[in-house]
């Protein structure tokens, strides 16, 4: 059971995992609750989280197959029980896990008779096959089946486009979504103005990541989408009345606005992870080994502290300072007082 607390005003939001199970290698389930929420907040969060879970999380899958011995997509091959179309559909269902960016190549080269499964895929080290027993084809005769594969990482769903080339390359419908389903429900309690809500989130994944990891990733993606609003530099709003234009202060209570922004930034910095920045892998790994995972962790250190990290150089510190200044207009002190 996992718990995490965020304190906002007089409310203490608390979330926890109340149920977690693996029904199979390709089906994980998790149930989470968030409470206490004011009336209406549960629906706001639930709708946003469901959309982020289904549409904002990246996944990896096979997007193209190539074989010069296949005349066309709807043909059959002597010695193979499945048609080419059935083999492509089986490849579409293969579940992969990776952190790759861009496109990588993989292949299958098997001699029959026998069964061809996901275990026979020769993939790069950065790609992991979640369920090696997934079926691809059945070879009934001593023939060779050699197929080149293209692996991509993206998000959402991409329909294959018509393929007019004659090179034996066939696109596959790409289902990048690692979350198979997500739903939310609300339980209300209390009376009148004291009415509160509990949000229940249910998540099913394909095994390439756990429901908890999916919830974490979706939350980070939502935060990234709203960060620009927290750093808006607007100072005034211009209201036009007929032909006359007047300028009003952006917010009348300037001191209260400054305090509110400070609290929001502290919460936001706690939720921004350093792997979201433009840091090179070596710098990121050095920070991670020093237990610096979020932007708030980084801001709790001075330039002097960073120079004490093993294998850290002055160029690394300068790069971090440039990123902080570019994206957040903040700096690190030279020495820790």
């Amino acid at each position: 059971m996992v718990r995490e607390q965020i304190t906002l005003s007089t409310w203490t939001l608390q979330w926890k995992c109340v149920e977690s199970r693996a029904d199979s290698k390709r089906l994980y389930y998790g149930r989470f609750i968030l409470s206490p929420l004011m009336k209406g907040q549960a629906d706001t969060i639930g709708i946003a989280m469901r959309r982020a879970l289904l549409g904002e999380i990246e996944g990896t899958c096979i997007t193209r197959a190539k074989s010069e011995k296949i005349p066309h997509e709807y043909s059959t091959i002597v010695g193979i029980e499945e048609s080419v179309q059935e083999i492509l559909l089986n490849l579409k269902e293969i579940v992969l896990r990776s952190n790759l960016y861009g496109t990588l190549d993989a292949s299958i080269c098997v001699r029959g008779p026998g069964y061809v499964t996901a275990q026979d895929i020769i993939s790069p080290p950065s790609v992991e096959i979640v369920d090696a027993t997934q079926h691809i084809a059945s070879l009934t005769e001593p023939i060779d089946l050699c197929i080149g594969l293209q692996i991509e990482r993206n998000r959402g769903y991409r329909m294959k486009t018509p393929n007019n080339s004659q090179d034996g390359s066939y696109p596959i419908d790409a289902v990048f979504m690692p979350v198979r389903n997500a739903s939310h429900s609300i339980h209300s309690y209390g009376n009148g103005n004291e009415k509160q809500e509990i949000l229940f989130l249910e998540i099913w994944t394909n095994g390439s990541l756990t429901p908890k990891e999916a919830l974490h990733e979706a939350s980070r993606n939502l935060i990234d989408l709203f960060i620009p609003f927290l750093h808006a530099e607007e100072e005034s709003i211009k209201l036009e009345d007929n032909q006359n234009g007047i300028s009003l202060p952006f917010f009348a209570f300037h001191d209260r606005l400054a305090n509110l922004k400070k609290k929001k930034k502290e919460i936001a910095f706690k939720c921004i992870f350093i792997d979201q920045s433009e840091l090179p892998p070596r710098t990121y790994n050095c920070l991670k080994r020093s237990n610096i995972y979020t932007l708030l962790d980084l801001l709790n250190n001075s330039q002097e502290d960073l120079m004490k990290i093993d294998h850290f150089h002055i160029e690394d510190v300068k790069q971090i300072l440039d990123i902080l200044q570019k994206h957040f207009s903040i700096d690190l002190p030279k020495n820790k007082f």
Side-chain angles (χ1 to χ4, degrees):
M1 187 173 294
V2 182
R3 296 189 177 183
E4 194 167 297
Q5 294 184 347
I6 300 176
T7 303
L8 294 173
S9 184
T10 59
W11 292 81
T12 299
L13 298 182
Q14 185 179 68
W15 74 268
K16 60 183 177 180
C17 176
V18 294
E19 185 177 357
S20 179
R21 67 173 187 264
D23 295 330
S24 68
K25 290 183 179 180
R26 287 176 279 153
L27 183 59
Y28 284 28
Y29 171 79
R31 190 165 182 254
F32 307 86
I33 64 172
L34 176 66
S35 67
L37 295 164
M38 290 185 287
K39 184 178 179 180
Q41 288 183 335
D43 210 27
T44 300
I45 298 173
I47 293 173
M49 284 303 302
R50 184 177 186 276
R51 293 182 66 89
L53 285 164
L54 293 174
E56 297 296 327
I57 301 180
E58 293 186 342
T60 305
C61 65
I62 299 171
T63 58
R64 186 173 290 273
K66 181 177 181 179
S67 178
E68 297 177 354
K69 295 183 179 180
I70 299 176
H72 58 82
E73 185 177 349
Y74 303 99
S75 62
T76 57
I77 301 175
V78 177
I80 301 181
E81 187 175 312
E82 293 82 2
S83 65
V84 174
Q85 181 69 16
E86 289 174 323
I87 294 175
L88 294 178
L89 289 175
N90 290 337
L91 290 172
K92 172 184 172 182
E93 298 298 324
I94 301 296
V95 179
L96 303 174
R97 180 191 294 119
S98 80
N99 292 317
L100 68 88
Y101 290 93
T103 303
L104 292 180
D105 294 327
S107 63
I108 298 174
C109 194
V110 180
R111 182 169 180 80
Y115 294 104
V116 182
T117 65
Q119 186 177 3
D120 297 307
I121 298 177
I122 304 172
S123 60
S126 58
V127 179
E128 178 186 349
I129 299 170
V130 172
D131 185 1
T133 65
Q134 280 187 265
H135 180 75
I136 297 176
S138 302
L139 307 184
T140 58
E141 297 183 13
I143 63 170
D144 293 326
L145 176 64
C146 294
I147 303 175
L149 304 174
Q150 179 178 288
I151 297 175
E152 292 183 46
R153 180 178 175 85
N154 211 318
R155 64 179 185 175
Y157 181 84
R158 188 173 68 202
M159 292 283 290
K160 63 181 180 181
T161 55
N163 183 32
N164 298 320
S165 63
Q166 302 297 323
D167 62 350
S169 179
Y170 303 97
I172 299 174
D173 290 336
V175 184
F176 296 106
M177 300 178 292
V179 176
R180 291 303 187 219
N181 194 16
S183 65
H184 78 281
S185 57
I186 302 168
H187 172 70
S188 300
Y189 61 97
N191 297 311
N193 295 332
E194 300 298 324
K195 199 167 188 178
Q196 298 179 0
E197 297 178 338
I198 300 176
L199 173 65
F200 292 84
L201 273 173
E202 293 183 284
I203 304 171
W204 292 263
T205 69
N206 65 357
S208 62
L209 77 174
T210 65
K212 178 188 170 185
E213 291 171 335
L215 184 65
H216 178 79
E217 186 68 21
S219 301
R220 285 175 53 186
N221 290 338
L222 278 178
I223 291 170
D224 287 345
L225 292 174
F226 287 106
I227 284 297
F229 295 107
L230 295 177
H231 299 283
E233 297 296 332
E234 295 179 358
E235 296 180 355
S236 64
I237 300 177
K238 190 174 183 180
L239 302 177
E240 294 189 8
D241 183 9
N242 295 328
Q243 296 179 352
N244 299 322
I246 58 174
S247 296
L248 297 177
F250 181 64
F251 195 73
F253 306 99
H254 188 273
D255 292 337
R256 290 180 61 187
L257 175 61
N259 292 333
L260 182 62
K261 283 185 175 180
K262 183 179 179 181
K263 289 181 180 179
K264 286 185 176 180
K265 282 186 178 182
E266 289 177 356
I267 296 172
F269 291 162
K270 182 180 178 182
C271 301
I272 299 176
F273 290 76
I274 58 174
D275 60 352
Q276 296 173 259
S277 62
E278 302 169 353
L279 295 173
R282 189 187 65 81
T283 307
Y284 164 71
N285 290 329
C286 288
L287 293 174
K288 188 176 177 182
R289 283 194 294 268
S290 298
N291 297 320
I292 299 176
Y293 301 99
T294 67
L295 184 57
L296 187 61
D297 295 336
L298 184 60
L299 295 178
N300 287 330
N301 290 270
S302 65
Q303 299 179 32
E304 184 182 29
D305 294 331
L306 296 182
M307 287 301 300
K308 295 178 181 178
I309 297 176
D310 292 339
H311 310 298
F312 224 69
H313 308 296
I314 186 64
E315 292 79 9
D316 302 321
V317 176
K318 289 181 178 178
Q319 189 173 29
I320 290 175
L321 295 176
D322 291 340
I323 291 175
L324 292 176
Q325 189 62 233
K326 176 182 176 182
H327 295 289
F328 307 103
S329 300
I330 54 179
D331 206 347
L332 293 178
K334 291 185 177 180
N335 301 307
K336 194 167 185 177
F337 297 99

